[in-house]
Amino acid sequence: LSADDAHILGLESAVITGHTLKLVVLEPAISPLDVEALRTVVSERLSSQPRATQRIDTSGPEPRWVDATAFEISDHVRRREEPGCASRDDLWRAVSKLMSEHLDHERPLWTFDLIGPLGDGREAIAVRIHHAMADGISAVRFLDDMLWDQHLEPPPRESDRGLRAASPQRSRVDEALRMPAVVRRELGHRGSHSPFDRPISAARELAFVIAPLPELKAIGAARPTHATVNDVLLAIVAGGLRSWLSAGETGLPRLRAQVPVSLHHRDEGAGELGNRDSFLNDDLPLAEADPLTRLDRINTETSKRKRLDDAEELFDLSHALGRVKRVEEAAKRLAGSAREFSLSISNVPGPPAPVSVSGRRVERLFSTSEPAAHHALRISAISCAGIIGIGLCTDPEALPDVARLAVAMEDSYAELRDAAIT
């Protein structure tokens, strides 16, 4: 494993499962999805993803990928029996249980679990991929290679839209001069005590929100500085958290959001798409009542960080510190501290055009990822054919009633849309 992949593997524990979950919701049909036919299709594509038939061997001094000699497709593509799974809330409960279950390290670290049919004829596929195997961009590529129906003229790879041009090389002197300012901007800003700063258990509770991608783009285009979709997403989350936390008895806390940034670039090969990302830490202006002012403030901060290439600098700093073990460990503890950031909010591009599975159109695609220790809330977003799907993942013992937060997010989106477009 690369150093980044091995670090993520090392975060797994009795309460951290370490995987991401993509929820694929299929259009209604008269007959249930044929699991045997899906297994046949996935089996034929295994060679396109070498990690799909490899497991992690931890018997040596360093974890490494080895061939899974007893690979059985039925262990990875299967129908999940969920008695009484008839409604949306039943589906949410089913995937919440899956999110809390560890993947078997004696096998390749991915599964496709079929759930349903629901009462309206829809079915879902819960895709779990361990984060040591793939980050957000490469997990989307895994779906592209392994799950979506193949067409004679496939659209551009959705994961390539998340890749950027390789950054220009800087001299060591320039790097050294830039680094202190980057550290001041991104680290060392201890926030107020967060309502999400709680020890977490192995239990998970998921909820999901949708919004049309063209409307998010229209909201951003309506602002004087042309806010990005990511900025609009952060503003929606900030508004939802403001409403949700205002219902409590205490005042609004100062929350910093850690926003993962993909550092994959267009010049690298498919085999290089392991974990390669960094982050930015942005303050969420919860105290600001006006939704447009919240968006503009977020846009100002993220634009400055991107212009100064903070994410790339932090990635280089982390790997430079990796040469000194104790210093690296101390830096990672600082960067992952619950006082450095309150929650993680990620967004990756999904299929730009409609996709299908076994001839069934994908109506919705959602993404969720694990919360970290003392970070009881994680928010992830992914787009599919013009729809943004937002997944909320919490520990219900530390942070109950995530469905109410989902409603607050929907209201925040509507408020921001109406204010921006009018």
Side-chain angles (χ1 to χ4, degrees):
L1 278 69
S2 71
D4 293 319
D5 296 347
H7 170 68
I8 290 173
L9 181 68
L11 297 177
E12 187 175 338
S13 68
V15 299
I16 300 292
T17 61
H19 57 251
T20 179
L21 184 148
K22 313 299 180 193
L23 180 61
V24 181
V25 180
L26 305 177
E27 66 180 351
I30 297 174
S31 302
L33 199 68
D34 186 336
V35 67
E36 288 297 337
L38 183 60
R39 284 171 179 162
T40 299
V41 171
V42 174
S43 295
E44 292 171 350
R45 301 181 184 179
L46 291 172
S47 60
S48 67
Q49 283 282 345
R51 294 285 181 261
T53 53
Q54 294 177 331
R55 66 176 182 85
I56 294 179
D57 177 15
T58 56
S59 62
E62 300 291 341
R64 62 192 184 102
W65 294 105
V66 299
D67 290 335
T69 55
F71 178 84
E72 293 286 346
I73 191 64
S74 59
D75 292 329
H76 299 270
V77 181
R78 58 207 182 181
R79 183 167 289 282
R80 181 87 170 189
E81 298 298 333
E82 292 289 341
C85 189
S87 67
R88 182 205 68 174
D89 290 346
D90 294 332
L91 175 61
W92 289 9
R93 281 190 288 271
V95 293
S96 295
K97 288 194 292 185
L98 279 170
M99 194 69 194
S100 65
E101 295 176 5
H102 286 73
L103 293 168
D104 185 353
H105 280 227
E106 294 301 312
R107 297 170 178 158
L109 296 176
W110 64 275
T111 59
F112 294 169
D113 284 289
L114 279 63
I115 304 172
L118 306 181
D120 57 8
R122 287 178 173 82
E123 287 184 271
I125 303 174
V127 177
R128 288 182 295 166
I129 306 172
H130 201 289
H131 229 307
M133 175 178 160
D135 63 8
I137 292 294
S138 42
V140 171
R141 176 163 285 180
F142 188 84
L143 293 177
D144 184 45
D145 288 342
M146 300 289 290
L147 187 59
W148 308 144
D149 290 340
Q150 301 296 301
H151 302 283
L152 293 178
E153 295 184 8
R157 295 179 67 99
E158 57 266 24
S159 55
D160 289 346
R161 298 186 301 121
L163 304 183
R164 60 188 197 170
S167 299
Q169 295 295 316
R170 296 190 179 93
S171 69
R172 291 183 178 275
V173 173
D174 186 38
E175 294 285 353
L177 292 174
R178 289 164 52 85
M179 196 63 70
V182 173
V183 173
R184 282 198 303 272
R185 283 191 297 271
E186 301 298 337
L187 300 174
H189 298 268
R190 293 178 66 82
S192 60
H193 177 72
S194 163
F196 315 130
D197 179 8
R198 304 179 186 185
I200 63 173
S201 70
R204 298 290 178 266
E205 186 174 15
L206 307 183
F208 303 95
V209 181
I210 62 169
L213 181 59
E215 290 192 1
L216 268 65
K217 291 180 177 179
I219 291 169
R223 305 312 300 147
T225 54
H226 201 296
T228 67
V229 169
N230 286 333
D231 294 335
V232 176
L233 176 65
L234 290 175
I236 291 170
V237 171
L241 290 172
R242 170 186 166 83
S243 172
W244 188 59
L245 294 173
S246 293
E249 297 179 356
T250 59
L252 291 169
R254 174 174 172 264
L255 296 184
R256 282 172 68 80
Q258 186 165 99
V259 182
V261 177
S262 172
L263 298 182
H264 292 298
H265 55 81
R266 288 188 286 269
D267 299 331
E268 66 189 14
E272 298 177 78
L273 285 179
N275 279 276
R276 181 176 170 81
D277 53 25
S278 185
F279 64 88
L280 299 174
N281 284 335
D282 291 318
D283 288 321
L284 296 179
L286 267 61
E288 176 55 59
D290 182 74
L292 297 180
T293 304
R294 280 199 301 269
L295 173 57
D296 292 343
R297 288 177 58 181
I298 288 170
N299 172 249
T300 298
E301 284 302 309
T302 58
S303 298
K304 179 174 69 174
R305 307 288 180 69
K306 285 185 283 190
R307 185 176 65 252
L308 296 171
D309 217 2
D310 280 9
E312 186 90 41
E313 294 292 330
L314 286 172
F315 181 86
D316 292 341
L317 173 63
S318 173
H319 286 74
L321 294 177
R323 303 187 186 101
V324 186
K325 194 67 175 176
R326 291 185 179 179
V327 175
E328 177 197 30
E329 292 172 353
K332 286 179 175 176
R333 283 197 300 272
L334 171 64
S337 165
R339 299 300 293 274
E340 277 298 316
F341 72 99
S342 309
L343 74 161
S344 182
I345 306 171
S346 60
N347 181 29
V348 296
V355 291
S356 59
V357 177
S358 298
R360 300 266 296 273
R361 182 171 59 90
V362 174
E363 284 193 341
R364 300 284 185 265
L365 176 62
F366 300 102
S367 177
T368 59
S369 295
E370 276 277 82
H374 286 273
H375 295 85
L377 174 65
R378 174 69 183 261
I379 301 177
S380 308
I382 190 169
S383 58
C384 181
I387 296 291
I388 287 275
I390 305 171
L392 314 178
C393 180
T394 71
D395 173 1
E397 297 180 22
L399 200 69
D401 197 14
V402 70
R404 188 166 58 85
L405 176 56
V407 173
M409 295 291 179
E410 291 173 344
D411 292 343
S412 174
Y413 154 66
E415 179 189 39
L416 181 60
R417 177 201 59 203
D418 293 345
I421 293 178
T422 58

